[in-house]
């Protein structure tokens, strides 16, 4: 049995002490020999209103000290079945948007090249675009564009903002579709809600084949039915999972850049994530945690808990692949 990295034992070093890392795992300089690389992307250069998501990774690290070693429902103990560690933060440029995107892509490409599955914490949702580019170029086995399951209040498929700026946290998936990184017919967006800029704002995405499941439809159908459809749409090919914390109702996750009332409860979000077992996940992220707008670490705790839910699913996938 290979030896895997283990978190710091809370019975030996209390949770409020020691080095702050994701899940209290060792901090490592590279993803070499890892099955899953935990990564921070402290960048919010694409934010159009309430900035602060650049501080998300640090606070999610702090609150992830509350995560323990095994999942209480599935019984999955991720650190017993996969080699996982904190690879630190990707290099960013907080001033130059284009250079910032390039740095994120380059840093993630180095991680993907090792064969590790990336699980990152942003940062605003534009960080997902360079991550998708890196995964698409570096590890795509099938030669097909990636599928994606997106938990979000917003479609993020607008074309431009502020006089033609095509790179904001409201445009990443339009760019990814245009670039051939994402297959729009294998893109499912769950939890979309809130006012829009104009009628037909989502028409372009729908015309490409994107499946948009508005919050009202989710309420009618429930988690089991919705995730079954999402899993059927992405199929067995390589799929990315992106979780924008603004999909959660702001009463439970106030610390985010673009809050929308009427969102998921944290319990509903956990249920949906657990139902992703069996999806061919090649990477995942949690984005838009903005600590300056948080209350008592509530949103950072949501981010850390969602990260652990995804980590358990991904570790179980690693185990199943290893054992055939």
């Amino acid at each position: 049995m290979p030896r895997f990295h283990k978190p710091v034992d809370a019975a030996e070093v209390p949770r409020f002490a020691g080095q702050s890392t994701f899940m209290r795992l060792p901090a490592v300089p590279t993803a070499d020999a890892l099955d899953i690389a935990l990564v921070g992307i402290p960048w919010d250069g694409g934010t159009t209103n309430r900035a602060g998501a650049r501080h998300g990774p640090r606070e999610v690290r702090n609150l992830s000290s509350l995560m323990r070693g095994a999942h209480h429902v599935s019984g999955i103990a991720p650190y017993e079945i996969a080699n996982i560690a904190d690879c630190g933060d990707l290099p960013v440029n907080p001033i130059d948007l284009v250079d910032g995107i390039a740095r994120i892509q380059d840093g993630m490409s180095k991680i993907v090249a090792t064969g590790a599955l990336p699980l990152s914490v942003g940062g605003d949702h534009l960080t997902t675009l360079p991550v998708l580019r890196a995964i698409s170029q570096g590890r795509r086995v099938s030669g097909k564009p990636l599928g994606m399951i997106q938990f979000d209040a917003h479609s993020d498929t607008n074309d431009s903002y502020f006089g033609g700026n095509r790179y904001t946290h409201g445009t990443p998936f339009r760019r990814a579709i245009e670039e051939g990184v994402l297959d729009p017919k294998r893109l499912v967006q769950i939890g979309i809600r809130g006012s829009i800029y104009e009628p037909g704002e989502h028409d372009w995405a729908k015309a490409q084949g994107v499946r948009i499941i508005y919050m009202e439809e989710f309420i009618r159908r429930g988690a089991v039915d919705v995730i079954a459809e999402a899993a059927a749409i992405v199929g067995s090919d390589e799929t990315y999972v992106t979780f924008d914390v603004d999909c959660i109702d702001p009463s439970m996750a106030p610390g985010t850049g673009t809050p929308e009332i009427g969102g998921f409860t944290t319990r509903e979000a956990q249920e949906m994530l657990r139902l992703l077992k069996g999806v061919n996940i090649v990477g995942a992220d949690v984005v838009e945690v903005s600590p300056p707008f948080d209350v008592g670490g509530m949103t950072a705790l949501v981010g850390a808990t969602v990260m652990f839910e995804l980590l358990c699913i991904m570790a179980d996938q690693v185990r199943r692949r290893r054992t055939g």
Side-chain angles (χ1 to χ4, degrees):
M1 182 73 177
R3 295 185 62 182
F4 297 145
H5 293 299
K6 297 293 190 292
V8 173
D9 187 346
E12 300 293 332
V13 180
R15 298 176 189 278
F16 53 81
Q19 183 180 7
S20 179
T21 62
F22 287 125
M23 312 301 170
R24 308 192 84 196
L25 286 162
V28 299
T30 72
D32 293 340
L34 295 183
D35 296 309
I36 302 171
L38 308 183
V39 189
I41 310 179
W43 188 80
D44 56 11
T47 301
T48 56
N49 185 17
R50 303 202 313 177
R54 66 182 61 186
H55 301 289
R58 180 169 293 186
E59 291 308 310
V60 172
R61 280 189 174 93
N62 287 340
L63 271 294
S64 74
S65 67
L66 295 174
M67 302 302 107
R68 298 177 179 86
H71 197 286
H72 74 288
V73 176
S74 67
I76 294 170
Y79 317 115
E80 302 296 328
I81 58 178
N83 202 21
I84 309 163
D86 187 335
C87 290
D89 290 340
L90 297 183
V92 298
N93 182 337
I95 299 170
D96 186 316
L97 184 145
V98 174
D99 184 60
I101 292 172
R103 287 170 181 256
I104 293 168
Q105 182 174 345
D106 181 65
M108 187 58 74
S109 292
K110 291 180 173 66
I111 290 170
V112 171
T114 69
L117 299 175
L119 174 53
S120 62
V121 175
D124 69 44
H125 221 159
L126 185 56
T127 61
T128 304
L129 177 60
V131 173
L132 289 171
R133 288 172 174 170
I135 294 174
S136 179
Q137 294 172 7
R139 69 172 302 125
R140 196 165 69 200
V141 174
S142 64
K144 303 175 183 178
L146 296 167
M148 190 170 79
I149 298 176
Q150 174 185 348
F151 300 95
D152 207 327
H154 312 100
S155 176
D156 294 345
T157 51
N158 286 351
D159 187 38
S160 64
Y161 287 71
F162 303 109
N165 189 330
R166 291 162 55 82
Y167 295 95
T168 79
H169 65 168
T171 68
F173 306 127
R174 187 159 182 150
R175 301 288 88 84
I177 290 169
E178 291 170 343
E179 295 173 12
V181 172
L182 278 182
D183 179 354
K185 294 180 174 58
R186 295 182 56 239
L187 170 52
V188 186
Q189 302 180 327
I190 306 171
I192 309 303
R193 66 186 188 279
S195 57
I196 53 180
Y197 288 109
E198 58 186 1
E201 181 177 312
H202 300 147
D203 287 354
W204 182 89
K206 293 176 181 177
Q208 311 311 306
V210 176
R211 175 67 169 106
I212 300 179
I213 299 175
Y214 294 98
M215 181 58 72
E216 292 75 13
E217 181 180 350
F218 172 83
I219 292 169
R220 291 195 306 270
R221 296 176 58 192
V224 173
D225 195 29
V226 164
I227 297 301
E229 181 189 355
I233 288 172
V234 298
S236 60
D237 288 332
E238 295 170 317
T239 299
Y240 192 83
V241 177
T242 185
F243 190 99
D244 187 330
V245 78
D246 70 24
C247 75
I248 302 292
D249 191 84
S251 64
M252 297 183 178
T256 192
T258 313
E260 300 283 358
I261 69 165
F264 298 122
T265 66
T266 51
R267 187 182 299 113
E268 288 169 331
Q270 287 176 293
E271 181 182 6
M272 287 189 288
L273 293 167
R274 293 165 190 173
L275 291 167
L276 294 178
K277 184 175 182 179
V279 173
N280 183 9
I281 299 173
V282 295
D285 64 36
V286 181
V287 298
E288 297 285 357
V289 174
S290 184
F293 295 98
D294 207 359
V295 177
M298 291 171 60
T299 313
L301 179 59
V302 169
T305 307
V306 166
M307 192 181 188
F308 183 72
E309 293 281 358
L310 288 166
L311 180 60
C312 288
I313 294 293
M314 294 168 71
D316 187 60
Q317 175 178 291
V318 167
R319 178 194 61 78
R320 287 185 283 111
R321 286 177 177 171
R322 182 180 290 123
T323 58

